[in-house]
C-alpha cells in the first residue's frame, strides 16, 4: 500500500491547488491533484483571464466610439457591436486554449499526476474518484468559491446572471442592472457599457469602500460622463418578470423604485465552497470559509485549505501563495502566509485601477500629516475640448502613459487619461501607499508592493531608472521632490465631491 500513498492529495486543481501541487513536487514530494473539470479553476473560464480578455474588448469598443470620425480616424460603424459575440469568441477559443495549456503545463511539463473526475472525500487520508480510492498522507482542500446569491424573489428568473454566466451570454441585453458595487460589479459595469448596454449599479452600502477617495472619484466621474448610473444606499427587494427579467425593485431613501431591465448581474460577494470538507470536522467560519492558521492548516491535523475555500482576500496571488505555503508545510517547513501589502486591481476599461498599501484617509489617521506625490492635481477643467489646447489643460498634470491610447484620451479632451498617487510619511520619507488609475500600471504594482514592505523611501526611488514614458510615473515624480530636506511633495485635492 505504501507505494500507492501520495504525500498529499490536492482536492481541486484551481490556482491554489495547481500551484501548491507544483511547489510540492518541486520540493521533492509526491502530490496528486483531483480535478473534476479543468486545471486553473475559474480563472480562465470566467474570472481573471476572461476578464482580462473581455475588458480588452470593451476598451476597443469604447475607444472606437471615442475616436470615430475624429482627427484622422475614419467613421466607425458601431451598430454591430456585440458583447455576446465577444463572449462567444472567448468561449470557443479562449476557454479551450487556456484549459489545454493548463493541462499540458501541469501534466506534461511539470509531470504532476492528475486524476480526472468528481472526487469524494472518504476521510482525511482517502479520496474516491471514479470508484477508485486514492490515499494521501495529507489532504489539501482547494475547492474555490461561488457567487453569493441574495434570497429575494425572482433571483432564478432567466436573465439573472453572475460572473459565471458572463462568458455564457448568447444575446446582448439593452438594459442591465448590476447588483453590488464592489470590485466585480464596478468592473462589469465598465465592461458592459461600451457595448451600447445601459448600465445601472445598485449598491446597498458604498461602492469600492476600501479604495482611495481620489481613485474612486476618478472612476465614478468617468462613469457619470459615460452614462453609467450608480445608486449607493439602495436595497434591492425583488427581481420582477414573467418569462424572464423585466425589472428590479428596490428601496431608496424610503421610496420604492423600479428599474426596467432585460438583464441582471448579481455581484454581491463570494461564498467559499467549504462543504466537501465539513465531514472531516474542519472548523467553518461565519462566511462559510474553512478556517486556517497562518500556515494554511485547518484544525484537523494533516488537512490544509487553500485559495478561496479558505476565505478572503479573494485574489489570485493569495490563492497561489496559500498553495505554496501549504506545500512547504507539508514538506516539513514552518511557512506562514504574509497578507501585508497585497495589491488590488480592477479593470475599468478603457483603463484599470490598481492600489497597494494605505489610502490617503488611512495614512492621515495613522501618520497625521502625509505627503502626496500625485498627478494630475488641482481643480479639473469642467468642459475639456477635444483636439484643442484649452485653458485648464495644465491641470491635467502629466499625462499618464500606458499603452498607446492613454495620451489619446488626454488629447481628445476626455479628461480621463489617469491619475497616479503615492502617499509618503514625511518623517521617515517612506511610502505608505500607491494608487493608480491608468493603463498598464499593474505590472509595476507587483514590485511596488514589495518596496512598500521593505520600507522603500523617496530617496531610494529617486535613484531607480525609469523607462520613460511609463504608466505610473512614481520614479520621476519622486525624484522631483526628493532633494527637499523637508519633504513637501505635490499636494492638492484632485476632485471635490460634487465633481461627480
Ligand atoms: C490561470 C490559472 S488561468 S492558474 O492559477 O495558473 O492555475
Amino acid at each position: 500500500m505504501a507505494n500507492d500513498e501520495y504525500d498529499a492529495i490536492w482536492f481541486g486543481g484551481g490556482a491554489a491547488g495547481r500551484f501548491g501541487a507544483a511547489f510540492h513536487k518541486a520540493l521533492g514530494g509526491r502530490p496528486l491533484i483531483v480535478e473534476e473539470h479543468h486545471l486553473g479553476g475559474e480563472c480562465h473560464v470566467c474570472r481573471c483571464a476572461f476578464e482580462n480578455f473581455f475588458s480588452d474588448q470593451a476598451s476597443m469598443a469604447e475607444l472606437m466610439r471615442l475616436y470615430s470620425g475624429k482627427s484622422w480616424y475614419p467613421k466607425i460603424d458601431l451598430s454591430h457591436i456585440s458583447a455576446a459575440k465577444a463572449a462567444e469568441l472567448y468561449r470557443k477559443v479562449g476557454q479551450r486554449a487556456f484549459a489545454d495549456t493548463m493541462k499540458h503545463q501541469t501534466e506534461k511539463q511539470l509531470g504532476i499526476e492528475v486524476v480526472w473526475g468528481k472526487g469524494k472525500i472518504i476521510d482525511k487520508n482517502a479520496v474516491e474518484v471514479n470508484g477508485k480510492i486514492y490515499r494521501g498522507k495529507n489532504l489539501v482542500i482547494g475547492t474555490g468559491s461561488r457567487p453569493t446569491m441574495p434570497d429575494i424573489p425572482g433571483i432564478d428568473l432567466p436573465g439573472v446572471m453572475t460572473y459565471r454566466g458572463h462568458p455564457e451570454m448568447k444575446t446582448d441585453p439593452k438594459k442591465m442592472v448590476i447588483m453590488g458595487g464592489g470590485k466585480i460589479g464596478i468592473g462589469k459595469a465598465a465592461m458592459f457599457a461600451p457595448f451600447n448596454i445601459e448600465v445601472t449599479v445598485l449598491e446597498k452600502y458604498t461602492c469600492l469602500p476600501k479604495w482611495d477617495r481620489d481613485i474612486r472619484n476618478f472612476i465614478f466621474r468617468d462613469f457619470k460622463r459615460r452614462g453609467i448610473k450608480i445608486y449607493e444606499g439602495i436595497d434591492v427587494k425583488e427581481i420582477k418578470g414573467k418569462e424572464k427579467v423585466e425589472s428590479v425593485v428596490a428601496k431608496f431613501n424610503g421610496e420604492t423604485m423600479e428599474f426596467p431591465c432585460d438583464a441582471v448581474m448579481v455581484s454581491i460577494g463570494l461564498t467559499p465552497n467549504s462543504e466537501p470538507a465539513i465531514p472531516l470536522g474542519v472548523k467553518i467560519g461565519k462566511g462559510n470559509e474553512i478556517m486556517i492558521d497562518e500556515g494554511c492548516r485547518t484544525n484537523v491535523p494533516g488537512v490544509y485549505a487553500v485559495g478561496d475555500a479558505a476565505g478572503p482576500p479573494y485574489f489570485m496571488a493569495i490563492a497561489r501563495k496559500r498553495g505554496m505555503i501549504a506545500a512547504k508545510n507539508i514538506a516539513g517547513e514552518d511557512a506562514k502566509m504574509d497578507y501585508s501589502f497585497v495589491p488590488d486591481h480592477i479593470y475599468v476599461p478603457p483603463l484599470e485601477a490598481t492600489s497597494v498599501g494605505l489610502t490617503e484617509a488611512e495614512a492621515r489617521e495613522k501618520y497625521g500629516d502625509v505627503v502626496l506625490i500625485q498627478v494630475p492635481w488641482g481643480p479639473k477643467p469642467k468642459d475639456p475640448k477635444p483636439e484643442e489646447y484649452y485653458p485648464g489643460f495644465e491641470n491635467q498634470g502629466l499625462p499618464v502613459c500606458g499603452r498607446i491610447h492613454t495620451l489619446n484620451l488626454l488629447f481628445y479632451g476626455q479628461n480621463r487619461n489617469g491619475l497616479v498617487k503615492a502617499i509618503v510619511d514625511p518623517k521617515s520619507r517612506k511610502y505608505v501607499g500607491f494608487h493608480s488609475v491608468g493603463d498598464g500600471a499593474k505590472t509595476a504594482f507587483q514590485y511596488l508592493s514589495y518596496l512598500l514592505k521593505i520600507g522603500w523611501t523617496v530617496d531610494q526611488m529617486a535613484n531607480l531608472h525609469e523607462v520613460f514614458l511609463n504608466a505610473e510615473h512614481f520614479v520621476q515624480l519622486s525624484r522631483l521632490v526628493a532633494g527637499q530636506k523637508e519633504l513637501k511633495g505635490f499636494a492638492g485635492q484632485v476632485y471635490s465631491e460634487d465633481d461627480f
Side-chain angles (χ1 to χ4, degrees), residues 66-75 386-388 408 411-412:
L66 183 59
Y67 302 150
S68 174
K70 300 209 188 92
S71 180
W72 60 272
Y73 296 97
K75 231 179 164 33
E387 299 177 77
E388 264 181 43
N408 263 359
F411 300 155
Y412 279 84

Side-chain angles (χ1 to χ4, degrees), residues 397-412:
L398 294 178
V400 179
C401 306
R403 287 181 296 186
I404 188 165
H405 61 77
T406 38
L407 275 175
N408 263 359
L409 287 174
L410 182 68
F411 300 155
Y412 279 84

Side-chain angles (χ1 to χ4, degrees), residues 57-68:
Q57 308 296 305
S59 295
M60 289 290 285
E62 181 68 12
L63 295 172
M64 282 181 186
R65 175 173 299 107
L66 183 59
Y67 302 150
S68 174

Side-chain angles (χ1 to χ4, degrees), residues 251-269:
K251 272 256 183 280
F252 185 56
N253 289 337
E255 305 279 317
T256 299
M257 288 183 78
E258 189 157 356
F259 299 88
C261 59
D262 52 353
V264 175
M265 167 70 65
V266 179
S267 55
I268 58 167

Side-chain angles (χ1 to χ4, degrees), residues 13-19 39-45 48-49 90 98-99 102 105-106 316 319-320:
R18 202 173 84 83
F19 274 77
L39 295 164
E42 288 193 320
C43 168
H44 64 269
V45 180
C48 339
Y90 190 82
F98 269 106
M102 296 294 111
Q105 188 182 68
T106 310
M316 174 66 95
R320 290 172 169 173

Side-chain angles (χ1 to χ4, degrees), residues 174-382:
K174 293 203 164 35
K175 287 187 185 193
M176 176 182 283
V177 168
I178 298 184
M179 266 184 77
K183 209 163 85 163
I184 300 177
I186 293 300
K188 293 292 183 197
M191 283 180 219
F192 282 116
F195 289 100
N196 292 336
I197 301 170
E198 214 182 293
V199 177
T200 305
V201 179
L202 306 181
E203 164 57 47
K204 195 168 182 180
Y205 305 104
T206 306
C207 292
L208 301 180
K210 293 189 189 138
W211 284 72
D212 186 86
R213 182 204 57 195
D214 288 326
I215 301 292
R216 295 178 69 243
N217 287 1
F218 185 101
I219 294 172
F220 298 141
R221 186 173 184 273
D222 194 38
F223 272 22
K224 190 173 176 189
R225 196 193 56 73
R226 292 163 65 181
I228 301 171
K229 294 193 193 71
I230 295 199
Y231 289 80
E232 293 183 313
I234 189 163
D235 196 9
V236 174
K237 296 289 181 196
E238 185 182 355
I239 301 172
K240 278 172 111 173
K242 290 196 185 75
E243 313 275 290
K244 65 187 291 290
V245 171
E246 287 168 21
S247 69
V248 171
V249 179
K251 272 256 183 280
F252 185 56
N253 289 337
E255 305 279 317
T256 299
M257 288 183 78
E258 189 157 356
F259 299 88
C261 59
D262 52 353
V264 175
M265 167 70 65
V266 179
S267 55
I268 58 167
L270 295 173
T271 301
N273 296 325
S274 55
E275 291 78 7
I278 293 175
L280 293 167
V282 297
K283 278 199 189 130
I284 305 294
K286 285 202 185 83
N288 208 46
E289 76 280 14
I290 303 173
M291 294 180 74
I292 53 171
D293 67 7
E294 289 172 308
C296 299
R297 301 175 194 88
T298 69
N299 56 306
V300 179
V303 179
Y304 296 75
V306 293
D308 286 8
Y314 300 117
F315 189 59
M316 174 66 95
I318 294 297
R320 290 172 169 173
K321 284 177 80 178
R322 278 181 176 158
M324 181 176 82
I325 296 299
K328 287 184 177 186
N329 289 333
I330 288 166
E333 295 181 29
D334 185 18
K336 291 185 171 56
M337 278 298 290
D338 176 1
Y339 293 100
S340 60
F341 305 112
V342 179
D344 210 351
H345 176 261
I346 328 170
Y347 290 109
V348 275
L351 299 176
E352 56 188 42
T354 321
S355 155
V356 65
L358 301 181
T359 62
E360 185 183 333
E362 288 166 342
R364 287 197 187 284
E365 205 173 312
K366 184 160 177 194
Y367 296 97
D369 241 5
V370 289
V371 161
L372 304 180
I373 298 176
Q374 179 173 323
V375 287
W377 63 273
K380 301 285 278 183
K382 278 268 182 249

